[in-house]
Amino acid sequence: MKRMLSAIKPTGQLTLGNYIGALKNFVSYQDDYEMICFIANLHCITVYQKPEELKKNLKDAVALYLAAGLEPDKTTIFLQTDVLEHAQLGYIMACNTYLGELNRMTQFKDKQAKGETGLTAGLYTYPCLMAADILLYDADYVPVGEDQKQHVELTRDVAIRFNHKYGDDSFVVPEPLVTKVGKRIMSLDDPSRKMSKSEHNDKGCIYLLDDPKLAAKKIKSAVTDSLGKINYDPINQPGITNLIEIESALTGEDIDSIVARNKDKGYGEFKTEVAEVVEKTLSDIQARYKEIIDSGKIDEILEEGAMKARKIASKKLKKIERKVGIEIKKRK
Ligand code: AQP
């Protein structure tokens, strides 16, 4: 069975974008792949987080993984810091990544271009840690939203170079898998920007733990256009296109069929239809989330997941340390 790995960094509450672009797909893949899915808490602190809030967001993220349908007997679920090998291999990967490569990473460049201050070295070198996260497990595939594709491509470049230098059996070179529908869910109040959890305007973002009625309201007040036609047209009608993508991703109905069915409807009526789908999705997820939080099983699931992950990760790290020559005595 091929291995697939992915992660989410809970720098805030998880969003509908995370669900559509990532979580929902992890769930559908878990039957066909050996799935490894972790909570990237080291990546979270590349940008300052209030410790108490972060702790809550991490726990909520695990509960939401499970509420979305990930099953611990099919998917290895753990916290990144419970497997120390991530940070160790991350350093080795940083020593095998060129500054020029990091300078080309658009996520960092965008923040710099926006004039954000206080950007950290951790944020800059984050793709090296991400490369380690993936290569540690010899993942064949990495399902990501469009924004993360570049980081997986960097991981491939680093792995190919490393294999060339130290031997082809070092790392499996992973492939990114980008979702077809919903690869980039946009902000509801500015459809030129991605829906992001760290977005400061709550109106543009639906959080998975939002009151479902509030989420429906956000859909109903989404920014659209003045053309008055339900079309799938990302360039000229990005707002309506975003709503079509959301509905299609959540219901599985084809984009063409949604457009055809709604072609004579006004925006208000169409938004009500999408709002109902979103409200139901959130209500279902939240009912399961509550059961999981009440069950008190999260610690146990994380411990079991970390044990399974450590077995793979420690073997790989030892092999890589031996290859780069930083080992003296063979570690057990
Ligand atoms: N809006 C989105 N549409 C589709 N996919 C998305 N993903 C995130 N937002 C969208 C996908 O979710 C996975 C986990 O992402 P992440 O949370 O680890 O990082 P991110 O992409 O940086 O997410 P945010 O919400 O934008 O975080 P902040 O605000 O902290 O920068 C990834 O596969 C991602 O593509």
Side-chain angles (χ1 to χ4, degrees), residues 46-59:
T46 52
V47 173
Y48 173 74
Q49 308 291 318
K50 289 191 185 133
E52 281 310 312
E53 266 176 37
L54 177 58
K55 202 169 163 187
K56 174 168 183 353
N57 289 336
L58 295 176
K59 190 168 177 186

Side-chain angles (χ1 to χ4, degrees), residues 6-12 14-23 26 40 107 111 126 143-148 182-186 194-199:
S6 204
I8 292 186
K9 60 172 171 52
T11 39
L14 300 195
T15 69
L16 190 66
N18 290 134
Y19 179 69
I20 292 176
L23 260 185
F26 303 167
Q107 273 202 348
K111 286 193 193 285
Y126 138 63
V144 282
E146 197 175 47
D147 57 322
Q148 289 289 343
K183 60 180 188 263
R184 194 170 168 86
I185 298 300
M186 308 309 275
K194 191 183 86 157
M195 183 185 285
S196 274
K197 45 181 129 54
S198 54
E199 182 155 359

Side-chain angles (χ1 to χ4, degrees), residues 136-321:
L136 204 43
Y137 298 95
D138 279 337
D140 297 287
Y141 296 106
V142 184
V144 282
E146 197 175 47
D147 57 322
Q148 289 289 343
K149 191 166 169 241
Q150 195 189 27
H151 291 152
V152 182
E153 275 157 5
L154 175 68
T155 302
R156 287 174 57 81
D157 292 344
V158 174
I160 290 168
R161 191 163 55 235
F162 193 99
N163 286 354
H164 193 65
K165 251 194 215 163
Y166 296 107
D168 277 345
D169 62 332
S170 303
F171 294 122
V172 166
V173 180
E175 297 274 350
L177 273 191
V178 181
T179 344
K180 285 197 187 77
V181 177
K183 60 180 188 263
R184 194 170 168 86
I185 298 300
M186 308 309 275
S187 163
L188 298 173
D189 71 339
D190 177 359
S192 67
R193 290 176 37 217
K194 191 183 86 157
M195 183 185 285
S196 274
K197 45 181 129 54
S198 54
E199 182 155 359
H200 296 298
N201 185 352
D202 266 5
K203 268 169 47 189
C205 182
I206 290 180
Y207 297 97
L208 293 177
L209 294 179
D210 268 350
D211 175 341
K213 295 248 176 286
L214 172 69
K217 241 185 180 164
K218 289 184 186 178
I219 294 283
K220 286 182 190 162
S221 50
V223 167
T224 49
D225 54 66
S226 54
L227 296 174
K229 273 240 151 257
I230 312 277
N231 276 327
Y232 186 86
D233 180 350
I235 307 290
N236 300 307
Q237 296 186 260
I240 280 295
T241 298
N242 195 34
L243 296 181
I244 297 172
E245 287 236 11
I246 291 174
E247 179 166 5
S248 173
L250 295 180
T251 59
E253 184 178 353
D254 271 4
I255 287 186
D256 289 348
S257 151
I258 294 176
V259 172
R261 221 171 24 72
N262 286 286
K263 71 177 184 341
D264 297 323
K265 284 190 194 159
Y267 286 176
E269 205 181 335
F270 177 57
K271 282 179 172 179
T272 301
E273 172 176 313
V274 181
E276 277 167 12
V277 170
V278 170
E279 187 176 334
K280 163 119 186 34
T281 303
L282 260 55
S283 300
D284 292 350
I285 290 176
Q286 288 176 18
R288 291 194 295 271
Y289 162 87
K290 194 175 173 316
E291 271 170 35
I292 291 152
I293 291 282
D294 292 347
S295 77
K297 284 203 172 138
I298 289 183
D299 288 353
E300 195 183 308
I301 290 170
L302 288 179
E303 190 42 50
E304 266 175 36
M307 256 165 51
K308 281 198 233 163
R310 268 184 228 123
K311 260 194 200 154
I312 307 172
S314 64
K315 208 167 148 204
K316 175 58 91 183
L317 180 66
K318 274 180 219 151
K319 178 173 172 176
I320 296 302
E321 288 185 342

